[in-house]
């Protein structure tokens, strides 16, 4: 079945050092290989897409990108350069590629302007944000104008994992738990839950937030969010129970989570319109990702929604 994938990474020469800086424990040959794959927009990338049955890949910077730059003015320049390069590659292969805007979240007005430019002028279909920016999360009130623009443009934000700002003590001395094994699930789901509990979705009810890795464990947890927070004294007021916002405003992808158990949990908890196929190229194996969805125990209507129907509607893709 033909698929659209949306956690598919590239890198630019200028942003490669930021990416390499967050992979200190990767053997250099493996890091070099990943860089080569992500600098390529030609035959190798297209062959990987074909091997998973992906006809359209929505491309995004492999983090942290410009969000890792301490100087905000430099971050603005780096993001703009990355988006211009991506737009040029999409223009070369308009039937195969789309783009997610890369944004300098250090500078909110600049991030809004770049978002607007990417969507309105470059034709990008949303944005990807790589977690916190120097310890600032997206529930900070300074981002309200950004959310207002995201909602007005009617494009999704893909909330991609990032390393913890400060490593939680429980992860000290347990290198196996760092990064994708467990640290990023907790970091990224907590980031999303900050949006829920700070009332961002009451203020901006039409926001669409996409999380990878089958929702970073959250679809499993809806009942408990509701039952436990109901007991909290002094909680911030919300119009609805927490699970309402997870079901309405959250979309999840299969990136790096090619297992039927979390797939069925996500579909059951969130509904057939909320789960979208993705690979997480080049960190995951495209063949494994494609075979997983092709063989998953789903009816054909649901499989079609996960493979491409939901992506077309969430990102307004003209396929
Ligand atoms: Mn990724």
């Amino acid at each position: 079945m033909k698929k659209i994938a949306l956690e598919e990474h590239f890198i630019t020469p200028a942003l490669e050092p930021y990416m390499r800086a967050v992979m200190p424990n990767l053997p250099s040959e493996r890091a070099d290989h990943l860089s080569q794959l992500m600098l390529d927009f030609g035959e190798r990338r297209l062959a990987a897409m074909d091997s998973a049955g992906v006809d359209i890949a929505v491309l995004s910077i492999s983090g942290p990108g410009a969000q890792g730059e301490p100087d905000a003015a430099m971050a603005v320049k780096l993001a703009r350069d990355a988006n211009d390069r991506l737009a040029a590659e999409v223009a070369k292969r308009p039937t195969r590629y789309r783009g997610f805007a890369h944004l300098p979240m250090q500078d909110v007005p600049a991030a809004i302007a770049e978002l607007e430019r990417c969507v309105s002028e470059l034709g990008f279909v949303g944005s990807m944000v790589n977690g916190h920016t120097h310890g600032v999360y997206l529930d900070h009130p300074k981002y309200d104008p950004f959310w207002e623009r995201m909602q007005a443009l009617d494009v999704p934000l893909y909330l991609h994992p990032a390393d913890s700002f400060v490593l939680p003590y429980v992860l000290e001395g347990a290198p196996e738990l760092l990064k994708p094994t467990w640290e990023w699930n907790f970091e990224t789901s907590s980031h999303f839950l900050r949006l829920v509990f700070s009332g961002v979705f009451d203020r901006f009810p039409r926001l669409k937030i996409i999380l990878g890795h089958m929702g970073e464990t959250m679809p499993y947890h809806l009942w408990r969010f509701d039952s436990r927070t109901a007991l909290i004294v002094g909680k911030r007021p919300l119009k609805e129970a927490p699970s309402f916002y997870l079901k309405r405003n959250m979309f999840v992808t299969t990136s790096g989570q090619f297992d039927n158990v979390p797939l069925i949990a996500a579909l059951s908890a969130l509904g057939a319109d909320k789960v979208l196929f993705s690979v997480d190229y080049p960190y995951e194996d495209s063949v494994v990702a494609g075979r997983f969805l092709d063989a998953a125990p789903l009816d054909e209507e649901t499989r079609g929604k996960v493979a491409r129907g939901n992506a077309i509607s969430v990102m307004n893709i003209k396929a």
Side-chain angles (χ1 to χ4, degrees):
M1 175 173 281
K2 286 290 167 202
K3 305 174 187 75
I4 297 173
L6 51 147
E7 192 187 319
E8 318 308 323
H9 299 302
F10 75 101
I11 199 69
T12 66
L15 290 178
E16 189 189 4
Y18 299 84
M19 178 181 81
R20 297 291 283 255
V22 298
M23 313 177 158
N25 298 325
L26 214 57
S28 63
E29 319 83 71
R30 165 92 174 138
D32 289 344
H33 179 63
L34 289 168
S35 286
Q36 288 310 310
L37 293 174
M38 281 186 276
L39 287 162
D40 172 63
F41 295 86
E43 294 313 313
R44 266 190 299 186
R45 183 183 293 273
L46 293 166
M49 287 165 58
D50 291 341
S51 74
V54 170
D55 64 338
I56 299 175
V58 183
L59 303 181
S60 53
I61 282 289
S62 185
Q67 286 176 261
E69 166 56 45
D71 180 71
M74 176 61 87
V76 173
K77 278 181 58 180
L78 287 166
R80 213 180 151 85
D81 171 67
N83 292 323
D84 285 341
R85 285 168 183 266
L86 177 56
E89 296 298 339
V90 173
K92 283 185 213 164
R93 292 184 174 82
T95 61
R96 304 303 305 272
Y97 297 145
R98 296 291 189 281
F100 274 145
H102 184 56
L103 301 175
M105 302 308 290
Q106 297 90 327
D107 179 336
V108 181
I112 293 170
E114 185 62 4
L115 171 71
E116 179 83 52
R117 185 179 81 93
C118 287
V119 174
S120 302
E121 294 175 30
L122 305 181
F124 288 2
V125 294
S127 65
M128 177 177 281
V129 170
N130 295 301
H132 66 84
T133 305
H134 304 294
V136 181
Y137 291 88
L138 293 168
D139 63 321
H140 191 287
K142 74 176 181 177
Y143 288 118
D144 269 17
F146 172 77
W147 291 126
E148 190 173 14
R149 193 62 60 93
M150 286 292 304
Q151 179 171 271
L153 289 167
D154 191 29
V155 290
L157 180 142
Y158 200 122
L159 185 58
H160 189 276
D163 291 345
S164 316
F165 184 57
V166 177
L167 192 68
Y169 185 68
V170 69
L171 300 180
E172 293 283 354
E176 304 83 359
L177 298 180
L178 300 184
K179 295 179 180 277
T181 314
W182 186 243
E183 175 192 0
W184 288 349
N185 292 333
F186 171 74
E187 169 72 21
T188 311
S189 53
S190 300
H191 191 166
F192 179 80
L193 291 167
R194 292 180 69 101
L195 301 179
V196 170
F197 288 105
S198 65
V200 166
F201 300 121
D202 278 337
R203 297 197 292 285
F204 307 102
R206 297 192 307 281
L207 287 178
K208 298 180 277 193
I209 310 296
I210 306 171
L211 289 113
H213 318 106
M214 219 72 91
E216 312 288 3
T217 71
M218 284 186 284
Y220 176 90
H221 212 77
L222 299 191
W223 186 88
R224 191 161 169 81
F225 288 140
D226 291 353
S227 81
R228 294 299 96 185
T229 56
L231 305 176
I232 293 171
V233 175
K235 61 178 181 281
R236 290 169 285 178
L238 291 178
K239 289 182 182 166
E240 307 285 350
S243 66
F244 175 88
Y245 305 98
L246 282 92
K247 290 179 187 174
R248 185 184 66 186
N249 298 97
M250 182 171 79
F251 297 78
V252 307
T253 77
T254 65
S255 67
Q257 187 64 287
F258 311 128
D259 182 22
N260 289 331
V261 173
L263 173 67
I264 300 305
L267 286 165
S268 165
L270 306 175
D273 298 333
K274 293 289 174 35
V275 181
L276 295 76
F277 178 75
S278 286
V279 177
D280 198 3
Y281 180 84
Y283 299 100
E284 298 286 346
D285 186 320
S286 298
V287 173
V288 173
R291 282 188 188 149
F292 158 66
L293 181 58
D294 290 337
L298 306 175
D299 63 74
E300 291 314 299
E301 185 189 353
T302 303
R303 196 188 319 279
K305 286 183 170 191
V306 174
R308 63 189 297 115
N310 293 339
I312 287 170
S313 64
V314 172
M315 296 180 286
N316 299 312
I317 284 182
K318 316 274 183 291

